[in-house]
Amino acid sequence: MTQGTAGTTIKVRPPELRKGAVIAQSLDNQWVTARLTREMVKKGRSLRDVENIRGKEVRAEYFRSLINTRQVVVNRVFFYNNRAMSRDLLEGGAARLAHQKLLAEGALVPYLLHEREPADRPRGVDVDEEGFAAWQETLEQMPAGARTTCVRLSWDDRENADTTRNALFNPFAARVQGLTAKDIPLLASQVGVPERRVQQFAEKIGEVVQLSNERRTHDQHVTRNVLYEQFVSAPGLPVSDGKYDGAKPFAGEIKQLLDLIYNVNLADALGMYPLTPSGSLRRVALQEWRDLRTAPSGTITDPEQLLLFLQRQAFSTVQDRLALTPSTVDALALEDIVSLRQSTPWHRYMEAFDALIADPVAFHERAGLVFDRYVRLNSEIVRLAGARYAQRARANKWWPVLEIVITIGGSVFSAITGNETWSVTGDIGAATAKYGGSVQLVLRNRREGRREQKFAREMASVRFDSTREWEQFHSMVRRLPGYQEQARRAAATSSATVQDENLDY
């Protein structure tokens, strides 16, 4: 049951979102791949300078999220401040109509911080005026009877203010303040810091934590913008310009950590997983004990059950094949994505994945069906692209592979099949008193293209309550045929006091 309706808005709270709803991290207006971040810091480039490259990657991730999930929750600011989304509103015509259909279907759900309606101007936020005007027009011109689903932590303003403080701002500060309690050499390796500079990195992380502590001691909020200004952004420029200061030690690495904390924090507050794009730092870098309230389904606590995901028999129903996939997902139009979501192959694909996450332990029985329907879905994408853009939407040869990624504490285990091969690897990192993590399903091209269609979703959460369970699992994995292991040292890939109601997240 919804929290309530008012005019053209359906107002819901997080528990009322569809099962499996996600937040797409790539729509964050500061999102940049780790590789591009390093280049921007080194060459002094801003987000505007790399817009052509970044815009295509964001657009591809935006479309992937709509292709591979039923519902995507989006911070309301990104609808008009992120050109990967607002371009359809600005273009008008069929593109704007497609966006309206996605809003009306609840496929796109604006997350409102303090606003009561999606068209309300956010307080304390710089907005792209052209994009904001197009967003308001889009909402005003929604078809008769159509309503936009919006989510807020609470629709009671007083309760929402308290919940936002306790679920967003305080946990963000706590995660930042907890950075010095991590395994710093492991953390450094995951953000790409050379071993010879680990001590300097540790000292800089200490400064970040110190500033956070000082602000909290003086009852000041700790926000990403505040930390960006001090440790990441070029002085004298708005944070929104996205110009990162190469003179500030570890600016790019600190940016990666702050962005990860920011997006994980919002996803946890809404009770869902963030959809982390390729080339971005993954949650495993935080070496955390996952809050079980965010689990998408039942939690796996048995080491033997978890091992099943890595055994070769689990992949027995997955058959190798050669197919086609669009060379660049972002070459499609939003209208194509809407058509795809209305097609039989898309609905059958969603049904297969829903069945899998409803009982992830039955992976060996259901993975093949998900794989088959995913391949069929890509054939439908190629057909739609060819029908609309014969020249523009080229297709690549596609050798799809299925991969299972298990993260526990600071360790990652991966099993992959494709091209008549099967392999299991482990990157072993730090462990904590309790062991939390997740099981992720990945479907992609064996020769992966940056902007091709691919799939990566969390299937289940993992919880080991003792060292004994972790050691039992690790020992069983080591006995799998062909298993290879390495110590984890590879990259995972304004200061004034502000009133709560003017803070943005």
Side-chain angles (χ1 to χ4, degrees):
M1 180 180 295
T2 58
Q3 175 75 10
T5 60
T8 58
T9 304
I10 299 176
K11 299 179 176 181
V12 302
R13 297 182 69 168
E16 297 163 311
L17 294 167
R18 294 174 190 168
K19 185 179 178 65
V22 300
I23 288 179
Q25 183 178 339
S26 61
L27 298 180
D28 178 355
N29 54 13
Q30 290 288 344
W31 177 77
V32 186
T33 63
R35 176 191 57 79
L36 189 53
T37 298
R38 289 192 292 270
E39 182 180 323
M40 291 170 66
V41 171
K42 183 178 180 180
K43 297 182 178 179
R45 293 179 175 174
S46 68
L47 288 176
R48 182 170 297 179
D49 295 330
V50 299
E51 181 57 35
N52 186 47
I53 299 172
R54 177 178 176 269
K56 291 175 180 177
E57 292 182 346
V58 173
R59 184 79 166 174
E61 293 291 346
Y62 173 37
F63 282 1
R64 286 189 196 113
S65 66
L66 289 169
I67 290 170
N68 291 306
T69 62
R70 292 187 184 275
Q71 191 170 56
V72 183
V73 177
V74 182
N75 186 327
R76 79 288 185 217
V77 175
F78 302 160
F79 282 95
Y80 37 87
N81 274 8
N82 190 328
R83 282 294 168 125
M85 298 193 74
S86 66
R87 58 182 277 185
D88 299 303
L89 312 181
L90 292 162
E91 182 179 327
R96 181 181 287 188
L97 181 60
H99 194 104
Q100 290 173 327
K101 287 181 179 179
L102 292 169
L103 288 171
E105 293 169 2
L108 288 174
V109 177
Y111 162 66
L112 307 186
L113 186 64
H114 303 298
E115 305 80 13
R116 298 200 64 84
E117 297 293 338
D120 291 348
R121 178 180 288 271
R123 293 169 288 187
V125 182
D126 293 330
V127 302
D128 179 326
E129 294 296 344
E130 186 181 20
F132 186 60
W135 168 244
Q136 290 183 313
E137 287 178 6
T138 299
L139 294 170
E140 291 170 2
Q141 296 169 4
M142 290 282 285
R147 292 185 295 178
T148 301
T149 299
C150 295
V151 63
R152 215 168 80 150
L153 293 179
S154 173
W155 292 93
D156 175 271
D157 289 342
R158 184 182 296 274
E159 182 182 3
N160 186 64
D162 291 341
T163 305
T164 298
R165 185 184 307 108
N166 294 327
L168 280 180
F169 294 110
N170 291 348
F172 178 83
R175 279 188 161 110
V176 171
Q177 290 162 356
L179 287 175
T180 48
K182 308 298 182 187
D183 179 329
I184 295 295
L186 174 62
L187 190 66
S189 72
Q190 290 175 321
V191 295
V193 174
E195 195 167 347
R196 59 185 170 77
R197 300 193 67 198
V198 168
Q199 182 57 42
Q200 296 166 281
F201 175 72
E203 292 170 0
K204 183 56 64 174
I205 290 296
E207 292 177 26
V208 174
V209 171
Q210 182 180 0
L211 176 61
S212 177
N213 287 337
E214 288 175 354
R215 290 186 64 83
R216 295 297 292 140
T217 300
H218 293 89
D219 200 27
Q220 297 174 324
H221 281 287
V222 178
T223 67
R224 182 171 63 164
N225 273 15
V226 167
L227 299 176
Y228 259 48
E229 288 176 348
Q230 185 69 26
F231 300 103
V232 177
S233 298
L237 296 174
V239 168
S240 58
D241 280 9
K243 187 160 187 178
Y244 314 127
D245 191 351
K248 293 180 177 178
F250 306 105
E253 292 81 1
I254 291 171
K255 171 186 158 45
Q256 288 184 64
L257 283 171
L258 295 179
D259 290 350
L260 177 63
I261 292 172
Y262 174 90
N263 284 285
V264 161
N265 201 51
L266 180 57
D268 281 359
L270 296 175
M272 61 184 68
Y273 282 110
L275 212 58
T276 302
S278 60
S280 297
L281 193 63
R282 291 188 294 170
R283 185 169 191 158
V284 67
L286 296 181
Q287 307 168 30
E288 64 188 355
W289 168 239
R290 182 81 63 87
D291 185 338
L292 293 182
R293 291 174 302 173
T294 68
S297 56
T299 299
I300 297 171
T301 59
D302 183 349
E304 292 186 6
Q305 275 192 342
L306 188 60
L307 184 72
L308 294 175
F309 289 99
L310 300 178
Q311 292 177 330
R312 184 162 195 161
Q313 298 93 306
F315 300 90
S316 60
T317 57
V318 177
Q319 303 297 320
D320 291 327
R321 72 207 60 197
L322 171 63
L324 295 176
T325 190
S327 58
T328 52
V329 175
D330 54 287
L332 302 172
L334 194 62
E335 306 93 280
D336 299 319
I337 304 302
V338 171
S339 296
L340 183 70
R341 289 176 62 94
Q342 294 172 342
S343 70
T344 298
W346 185 81
H347 284 287
R348 296 190 70 199
Y349 170 54
M350 286 291 104
E351 289 166 2
F353 186 75
D354 289 346
L356 177 61
I357 62 172
D359 186 12
V361 177
F363 171 74
H364 63 288
E365 299 173 0
R366 297 178 176 174
L369 185 59
V370 174
F371 186 81
D372 289 342
R373 292 187 176 180
Y374 178 77
V375 172
R376 175 70 185 89
L377 179 73
N378 267 267
S379 297
E380 181 68 9
I381 296 172
V382 171
R383 187 192 68 78
L384 283 170
R388 192 181 293 267
Y389 302 111
Q391 299 298 319
R392 185 172 157 213
R394 297 184 300 275
N396 285 349
K397 289 182 179 180
W398 190 48
W399 286 269
V401 297
L402 184 149
E403 184 176 7
I404 289 293
V405 180
I406 297 176
T407 62
I408 306 174
S411 299
V412 178
F413 300 89
S414 175
I416 186 169
T417 186
N419 195 30
E420 300 182 353
T421 64
W422 176 80
S423 63
V424 183
T425 59
D427 289 338
I428 308 304
T432 55
K434 289 187 177 181
Y435 302 80
S438 68
V439 181
Q440 185 183 56
L441 174 66
V442 181
L443 297 169
R444 59 175 175 81
N445 194 349
R446 178 160 50 90
R447 297 178 178 178
E448 189 173 357
R450 291 194 60 77
R451 288 151 55 205
E452 287 182 348
Q453 161 63 350
K454 67 185 100 170
F455 168 101
R457 287 283 303 278
E458 307 277 1
M459 286 195 298
S461 61
V462 177
R463 171 178 172 172
F464 290 163
D465 288 328
S466 71
T467 301
R468 182 185 60 80
E469 291 167 340
W470 155 254
E471 291 177 345
Q472 180 186 351
F473 175 73
H474 192 194
S475 175
M476 291 188 296
V477 173
R478 281 176 162 169
R479 294 196 295 270
L480 290 174
Y483 173 71
Q484 295 183 335
E485 180 173 296
Q486 64 181 11
R488 188 161 181 79
R489 282 293 179 264
T493 210
S494 113
S495 61
T497 303
V498 185
Q499 296 299 314
D500 285 4
E501 60 269 17
N502 291 324
L503 281 171
D504 183 54
Y505 195 94

